[in-house]
Amino acid sequence: MRIIVSGAAGFIGSHMCDRLLKEGNTVVAVDNLLTGSLDNLSHLDSVKAFQFIEHDVNIPMAAKLPGGSYDAVLHMASAASPKDYLAHPIETLDVGSIGTRNMLELARINNARFLVTSTSECYGDPLVHPQVETYWGNVNPVGPRSCYDESKRFAEAMTMAYHRTHRVRTNIARIFNTYGPKMQLNDGRVVPAFLDQALRGEPLTVFGDGSQTRSFCYVSDLVDGLYRLMLSDERYPVNLGNPREMTILEFAERICGLIRSGSTIVRRPLPEDDPRQRKPDISKAKRVLGWEPVVTLEEGLKTTTEYFRQKVAITT
Ligand SMILES: NC(=O)c1ccc[n+]([C@@H]2O[C@H](COP(=O)([O-])OP(=O)(O)OC[C@H]3O[C@@H](n4cnc5c(N)ncnc54)[C@H](O)[C@@H]3O)[C@@H](O)[C@H]2O)c1
């Protein structure tokens, strides 16, 4: 297949490009480098089936693309870490709305499949636990995080509208916290933040009392779920994440044990609208895609720690 991937220079996008190429596809990667880095794609420089185009997907791009038709459009572009979307709220709303519309148009004119990477943030601070796809969410539409949550909810609505109106073969992935190599050290998400602090021997920052829960999915598992979803006929959202839930405090202690840096834990006030609980119900992904995560937290953290160890060594 010939596939367009937006957000390709980001953490998940770059891993997705690797997987698509491994499966024998041709990839046209698009990114405006707002939060991504060309370093994530530099290993593909000499790969013939891969091409990178620096472009903001909020601007229509059909004219910039290599000729011929495309079989799939994967729309992964969006600031994703709280630090990034709080720094770029308008860009985040634009890429979920205008950017999604532009990418759906590309899919429509090419009669291509379309997949959008939505998020568990659509559930907001959930009143249903674990979160199942039929739950409509508890989102503050005017809080600081709304730029991300509402952008993704709009993206889902636009995707369904293109499916219903134009019969585009769409898929919606609701991704839960994912981690792995190629995350940015300083993007504010909990895995790089804890690993960075632990590897530098600094105290780990826990917000609130640390009793809020998260579940962490290793990136190769997530990419496998996205790939299966892209090939499926499922038009409604599918949760992709690891259901193994733990408190943030427990996670911080686990990282301290793993790195053995002797780091202590410091507490800071909980950010506004921080969700109390996060755990995906993945029964639908199991049933529809035959998918479930296979990488244990121990294995995933080992690989990720090795990556961050090198990064921290470079920056110190
Ligand atoms: N990582 C997670 O845990 C997680 C969880 C839920 C959803 N997601 C979603 O998965 C996708 C990838 O997330 P990530 O963690 O890799 O984030 P990331 O920030 O590493 O990657 C996003 C990429 O999108 C690019 N981008 C942003 N705006 C753009 C625009 N207007 N035009 C072109 N490119 C643009 C950025 O430069 C970056 O390379 C996002 O859509 C995100 O919302 C991620």
Side-chain angles (χ1 to χ4, degrees):
M1 288 196 281
R2 290 185 83 213
I3 303 178
I4 300 167
V5 180
S6 77
F11 158 52
I12 299 174
S14 56
H15 285 277
M16 193 67 196
C17 289
D18 290 341
R19 172 69 188 264
L20 294 171
L21 291 165
K22 195 170 158 221
E23 300 285 346
N25 300 292
T26 297
V27 173
V28 175
V30 183
D31 204 298
N32 67 351
L33 306 179
L34 179 72
T35 59
S37 164
L38 282 180
D39 291 348
N40 289 338
L41 298 173
S42 56
H43 62 294
L44 300 175
D45 278 350
S46 57
V47 175
K48 278 207 175 61
F50 179 81
Q51 183 176 345
F52 177 77
I53 300 175
E54 187 172 334
H55 183 81
D56 181 339
V57 297
N58 297 330
I59 301 162
M61 65 169 308
K64 266 196 172 181
L65 288 169
S69 70
Y70 292 87
D71 305 294
V73 175
L74 303 192
H75 180 38
M76 309 184 73
S78 173
S81 81
K83 190 174 163 198
D84 287 336
Y85 60 70
L86 293 175
H88 304 286
I90 296 172
E91 290 86 343
T92 303
L93 281 156
D94 279 350
V95 77
S97 52
I98 305 165
T100 302
R101 173 92 195 260
N102 285 338
M103 298 304 281
L104 277 159
E105 262 309 292
L106 270 184
R108 186 185 69 78
I109 60 179
N110 281 280
N111 191 22
R113 294 169 171 280
F114 175 88
L115 179 146
V116 63
T117 47
S118 184
T119 170
S120 57
E121 300 288 341
C122 287
Y123 301 120
D125 191 3
L127 305 176
V128 166
H129 192 72
Q131 290 77 57
V132 65
E133 290 88 345
T134 46
Y135 174 51
W136 292 350
N138 177 38
V139 171
N140 175 355
V142 291
R145 300 170 76 109
S146 63
C147 60
Y148 185 61
D149 305 3
E150 298 294 11
S151 147
K152 292 293 185 176
R153 288 165 68 100
F154 182 94
E156 291 194 6
M158 182 60 92
T159 300
M160 290 308 296
Y162 260 72
H163 170 61
R164 293 189 178 111
T165 308
H166 298 301
R167 311 310 303 164
V168 176
R169 291 166 295 160
T170 54
N171 307 110
I172 299 172
R174 283 197 186 140
I175 302 175
F176 284 65
N177 285 31
T178 299
Y179 72 99
K182 296 190 184 174
M183 292 183 96
Q184 296 171 62
L185 258 183
N186 59 350
D187 81 358
R189 288 185 268 197
V190 64
V191 176
F194 281 175
L195 284 176
D196 187 30
Q197 290 171 327
L199 288 167
R200 291 176 198 274
E202 293 168 5
L204 272 59
T205 311
V206 167
F207 294 103
D209 64 4
S211 64
Q212 66 275 32
T213 67
R214 296 291 184 272
S215 38
F216 301 101
C217 185
Y218 189 65
V219 65
S220 60
D221 279 336
L222 175 80
V223 161
D224 186 48
L226 290 174
Y227 192 74
R228 289 172 189 238
L229 181 59
M230 177 189 84
L231 298 177
S232 82
D233 293 332
E234 180 54 48
R235 305 294 166 229
Y236 284 92
V238 178
N239 288 340
L240 294 176
N242 193 315
R244 180 177 173 189
E245 183 186 21
M246 61 175 66
T247 67
I248 288 292
L249 195 58
E250 217 181 320
F251 188 60
E253 284 161 356
R254 187 172 282 262
I255 298 269
C256 289
L258 183 81
I259 309 282
R260 294 200 191 95
S261 62
S263 290
T264 52
I265 288 170
V266 287
R267 291 170 204 267
R268 295 274 178 272
L270 206 57
E272 199 177 331
D273 294 335
D274 196 51
R276 295 286 318 151
Q277 290 178 308
R278 259 308 144 64
K279 172 181 170 166
D281 180 322
I282 59 164
S283 338
K284 183 172 178 182
K286 280 188 191 166
R287 190 178 68 250
V288 176
L289 310 176
W291 175 87
E292 64 181 312
V294 294
V295 179
T296 64
L297 187 65
E298 293 66 29
E299 290 165 343
L301 279 179
K302 197 164 168 252
T303 319
T304 310
T305 304
E306 282 319 307
Y307 175 81
F308 280 112
R309 211 183 278 284
Q310 287 173 18
K311 288 275 168 192
V312 170
I314 292 167
T315 58
T316 46

